[in-house]
Amino acid sequence: MPNMSLQKHPMPEQQPEIRATNFQEVALGYTREIAMEEADRCLHCKNAPCVKGCPVNVPIPDFIAHIKKGEFQEAYETIRLQNGLPAICGRVCPQETQCESKCVRGIKGEPVGIGRLERFAADYAMTEGTVSAETAAPTGKKAAVVGSGPAGLTCAADLARAGWDVTVYEALHTPGGVLMYGIPEFRLPKALVQKEIDNIRKLGVKIVTNAVVGRAMTVEELLEEGNDAVFVGSGAGLPNFQKIPGESLCGVYSANEFLTRINLMRAYTFPEHDTPVKVGQRVAVIGGGNVAMDAARCARRLGADVSIVYRRSEAEMPARKEEVHHAKEEGIHFRMLTNPKAILGDENGFVRAMTCVEMELGEPDERGRRRPVPKPGSEFELPVETVVVAIGNSPNPLIKKTTPDLPTETWGGITTDEHGRTGKKHVYAGGDAVTGAATVILAMGAGKKAAQAILEDAAKEE
Ligand code: FAD
Ligand code: SF4
């Protein structure tokens, strides 16, 4: 008889008042006993609806069955059949809208804690188990991958496993993409990301950092150098701004810069590491997505009084519910239905306040979300010294500009078919560079599909 508890086992975590003062991981992970108990909640449904909710089709009931029997290494290997970065996905995937949203245990009670179990199995393999680095015999084929985020790394790993010689070119000095520079340490420890990347290196994948494709070399040159395929996984790292007055004042950051300083450059350890970040006593973060939550929670950990300023209501916030919950627990204020109009500076050009207007919900827009409209006469000043703009990112235009025959969308994304084939021969793309800002698992899924297409196309050409 399975464990019929209606609740999933809570995740042990740091207390809010303690964690709001440090950058260590908030969620501490299941113990073996808790993992086995939670695994016992799975009914091993024949049709496994949870698998259909997973963008990379992890055999969920199979890996959970292994955990239930205490076969943790086997559980990990089962996940790795479909997912190359399980320790990362177990932490940051929006399971509540994917696998767990389809779990039958969720009909009456909470779904099985699939993400927490995935994290458990991955952490076990990384600390006590083994991670295989088996590859097929060398095929003599060569590929270049642009960008080392989850899309690029997944494509590189799959090609290397198939016996290809793969080189990843990364613009930054550390590989990992958003996993390293965007998502904060307290949600995704960087040592763990690097361990996952080391596992990919063990497959023979070479990673060249500080290599900006479009500057150091072009996509065309990578093809001319003898690469049989080029995969572009360059992400969407160009920050959007609201284009309101005052955005060039000192104390205004894009969330990208703010998070890169804090995560990649470890500004919270300054001067031990040499990149500072200036955070005032009062910080406003504009936006309602995961990026806004991450920026707000970082600013809070640096000692600020932080407000999220979002023009719609909480129901429309795109951030994961868990992140909103954690942010609230940590004392972050939520100013919903509030739209910034201008950022105001002092005589020295530093931010001193933000003018905002209150909003109310009007008629639904084309996506069915009620459109916020300004409430007449509701303008007010919010005193702040730092403003972080987290209203979305777009693909950087560099690859597009330097690869004139690469088809792109008007908004800047690279055009591909559903398998990642671009209109340019031997060039493939996937992840945020194609979809715009999305999720880690969708980027990985795109990297996987493109690797498959590369292998199929190469086989046809032989
Ligand atoms: P990226 O991760 O952006 O990687 C692209 C890489 O390409 C970067 O390293 C970049 O430096 C490199 N690059 C760019 N141009 C070039 C060039 N010309 N030459 C060489 N290299 C280049 N998703 C979730 O699922 N869950 C979350 O909780 C979550 N939280 C997020 C929090 C933040 C702060 C951010 C910014 C995003 C978050 N996301 C989350 C979204 C997720 O991280 C992205 O969708 C995912 O990383 C996209 O992967 P990618 O490989 O396409 O691109
Ligand atoms: Fe287990 Fe839920 Fe998947 Fe059924 S739907 S197999 S209960 S995880």
Side-chain angles (χ1 to χ4, degrees):
M1 174 77 178
N3 169 357
M4 291 311 288
S5 163
L6 292 184
Q7 266 89 45
K8 57 174 134 170
H9 209 292
M11 176 59 104
E13 54 189 32
Q14 282 196 65
Q15 289 306 307
E17 59 283 3
I18 297 172
R19 69 180 194 240
T21 61
N22 69 55
F23 275 81
Q24 283 144 30
E25 196 171 12
V26 169
L28 303 174
Y30 279 172
T31 60
R32 289 167 178 233
E33 293 71 29
I34 299 177
M36 287 169 78
E37 260 177 48
E38 183 61 23
D40 197 24
R41 291 185 64 230
C42 175
L43 304 177
H44 306 289
C45 316
K46 260 209 180 96
N47 61 346
C50 50
V51 178
K52 295 184 188 94
C54 171
V56 294
N57 298 111
V58 166
I60 292 167
D62 299 351
F63 97 73
I64 293 181
H66 282 304
I67 294 184
K68 190 172 150 182
K69 290 190 251 167
E71 298 165 355
F72 306 136
Q73 178 67 30
E74 289 81 352
Y76 171 73
E77 280 161 14
T78 307
I79 301 169
R80 281 263 291 191
L81 294 173
Q82 291 299 109
N83 181 340
L85 304 171
I88 292 167
C89 290
R91 284 171 167 80
V92 304
C93 265
Q95 291 101 6
E96 64 280 8
T97 57
Q98 298 178 346
C99 53
E100 292 185 17
S101 75
K102 304 273 189 286
C103 173
V104 295
R105 292 297 307 263
I107 298 169
K108 200 173 166 199
E110 287 183 343
V112 174
I114 301 170
R116 293 171 185 182
L117 291 174
E118 179 181 34
R119 169 192 164 139
F120 168 80
D123 287 0
Y124 171 86
M126 290 223 186
T127 50
E128 298 178 52
T130 53
V131 177
S132 87
E134 262 178 53
T135 59
T139 56
K141 295 278 181 194
K142 222 174 120 183
V145 169
V146 182
S148 64
L153 290 174
T154 304
C155 184
D158 280 10
L159 291 176
R161 273 195 209 94
W164 281 48
D165 174 4
V166 187
T167 306
V168 178
Y169 297 91
E170 167 54 51
L172 295 175
H173 64 278
T174 307
V178 171
L179 307 176
M180 282 305 287
Y181 78 74
I183 304 180
E185 176 77 22
F186 54 83
R187 280 215 292 133
L188 183 61
K190 302 306 148 213
L192 190 141
V193 178
Q194 288 309 313
K195 260 192 182 176
E196 293 272 38
I197 293 173
D198 285 345
N199 291 336
I200 291 173
R201 281 199 176 100
K202 282 184 195 148
L203 298 169
V205 171
K206 297 177 276 296
I207 303 180
V208 183
T209 52
N210 299 311
V212 183
V213 175
R215 291 261 186 276
M217 75 291 277
T218 61
V219 168
E220 200 58 58
E221 283 164 354
L222 288 171
L223 290 171
E224 284 163 11
E225 266 174 22
N227 282 296
D228 299 283
V230 175
F231 173 78
V232 182
S234 50
L238 186 71
N240 300 338
F241 282 90
Q242 272 200 310
K243 300 193 173 70
I244 57 175
E247 279 180 336
S248 54
L249 287 166
C250 294
V252 181
Y253 293 91
S254 68
N256 252 24
E257 182 189 346
F258 190 70
L259 289 168
T260 302
R261 280 175 180 267
I262 293 171
N263 297 316
L264 193 64
M265 312 308 290
R266 301 199 169 250
Y268 57 92
T269 61
F270 181 79
E272 189 194 321
H273 290 88
D274 59 6
T275 301
V277 66
K278 182 187 169 297
V279 174
Q281 239 181 338
R282 292 160 300 186
V283 175
V285 177
I286 306 173
N290 285 323
V291 183
M293 295 307 127
D294 283 343
R297 295 175 72 196
C298 283
R300 181 81 188 106
R301 280 160 173 74
L302 293 167
D305 183 63
V306 186
S307 300
I308 294 269
V309 178
Y310 182 56
R311 68 196 186 107
R312 295 178 187 265
S313 71
E314 190 169 329
E316 280 100 23
M317 280 178 88
R320 289 184 69 188
K321 286 211 164 42
E322 184 177 295
E323 301 312 321
V324 175
H325 171 73
H326 277 148
K328 283 186 176 167
E329 278 188 335
E330 289 165 12
I332 288 160
H333 314 293
F334 280 66
R335 286 182 173 272
M336 301 291 96
L337 288 168
T338 303
N339 199 25
K341 298 270 287 180
I343 302 167
L344 311 174
D346 63 15
E347 60 285 3
N348 299 315
F350 286 90
V351 172
R352 68 168 182 81
M354 199 161 75
T355 318
C356 302
V357 62
E358 287 177 25
M359 310 292 278
E360 49 197 2
L361 292 178
E363 294 303 309
D365 61 18
E366 56 290 346
R367 287 165 62 190
R369 300 195 303 179
R370 288 179 65 195
R371 201 187 297 272
V373 287
K375 222 190 241 180
S378 66
E379 240 179 67
F380 68 98
E381 253 185 40
L382 181 67
V384 286
E385 294 81 32
T386 305
V387 174
V388 182
V389 184
I391 57 163
N393 288 313
S394 308
N396 190 304
L398 183 61
I399 300 274
K400 172 181 162 169
K401 275 192 198 152
T402 53
T403 322
D405 54 346
L406 184 69
T408 52
E409 306 291 323
T410 44
W411 56 270
I414 299 171
T415 311
T416 66
D417 70 6
E418 56 179 319
H419 306 285
R421 293 180 179 96
T422 68
K424 184 170 167 65
K425 202 165 180 210
H426 297 141
V427 179
Y428 303 76
D432 285 4
V434 168
T435 56
T439 63
V440 171
I441 194 76
L442 288 174
M444 286 176 60
K448 237 181 167 20
K449 273 190 195 156
Q452 192 57 39
I454 292 171
L455 296 175
E456 281 169 18
D457 293 352
K460 275 185 216 149
E461 282 177 15
E462 269 171 12

